[in-house]
Amino acid sequence: MEISEHLDALGAEGLALASAAREAGPEALVPTCPGWRVRDLIRHTGMVHRWVTGMVVDESRTCREAADEPALDGEALFERFTEGHRLLVEALRAAPAGLECWTVFPARSSLAFWARRQAHETRIHRVDAESARGGARTPVAPAHAEDGIDELLAGFHARDRSRVRTDSPRTLRIRAVDTEAVWTVRLSTAPPLTLRGAAGPDESADCTVSGTAEQLYLALWNRLPLSSLRATGDRAVAALWEENSAVV
């Protein structure tokens, strides 16, 4: 996806997140983030936005420690979030194409990394805010969902920090029924290795999980139960993902 598409999505998702959070209220529980209330969700996302803004603006080559958010509540909390979101979008839109700053994992450019990462960060937390509010969830376009799956599998879980490990090799296949996208995730004692495509017939996968791109995106990010999707083969492999894949 293009950087401009991610930035447009970031702008829209932040506004939708703030709107849903306001409707829910700071005290509302967030079902998709057990133990959090809406104020915790807003403070966390606002902290991330300002942390990234600082690194982008200063072109920091090292990871900075994020500053604690002030203990605001009510409308002051939402106003601070809205301001921080606006500053992030402005900083990324103004950043040079050749921006060089720290990123969580390698990417084609620092600007491409942060535009993409913050679009998905904000989208997932918009889903959280909507879960607190209740009612209909804003749909995720298939192209954005596919991109988010790619980022999660080939980015976050390619790192040494991934806890999805098995003593003996196993294979998890993920199939989007609406876009025909397929990912093959090879599990072992090392970090998961993800290949885009089937990489062989379905019989070679220990478990295949199927759903729409949106369903898979939300399930792999632990916003829907992976067990609620269609699975064939050894469901223990899907359960292994669900139990160990939280990003750290």
Side-chain angles (χ1 to χ4, degrees), residues 95-152:
L99 171 72
E100 293 188 15
C101 68
W102 180 84
T103 58
V104 180
F105 47 81
R108 59 188 172 93
S109 76
S110 298
L111 181 57
F113 176 88
W114 284 118
R116 180 195 208 192
R117 174 82 293 277
Q118 289 309 291
H120 289 299
E121 174 87 11
T122 307
R123 179 178 293 112
I124 288 295
H125 288 317
R126 180 266 296 166
V127 171
D128 294 331
E130 290 178 344
S131 80
R133 181 201 61 196
R137 184 178 64 235
T138 304
V140 180
H144 291 275
E146 271 194 35
D147 184 80
I149 295 169
D150 277 331
E151 185 202 38
L152 179 65

Side-chain angles (χ1 to χ4, degrees), residues 7 30 38 49 72 75 78 113 117 169 171 211:
L7 293 179
V30 183
V38 164
H49 285 174
L72 301 176
E75 189 55 30
F78 295 126
F113 176 88
R117 174 82 293 277
T171 302

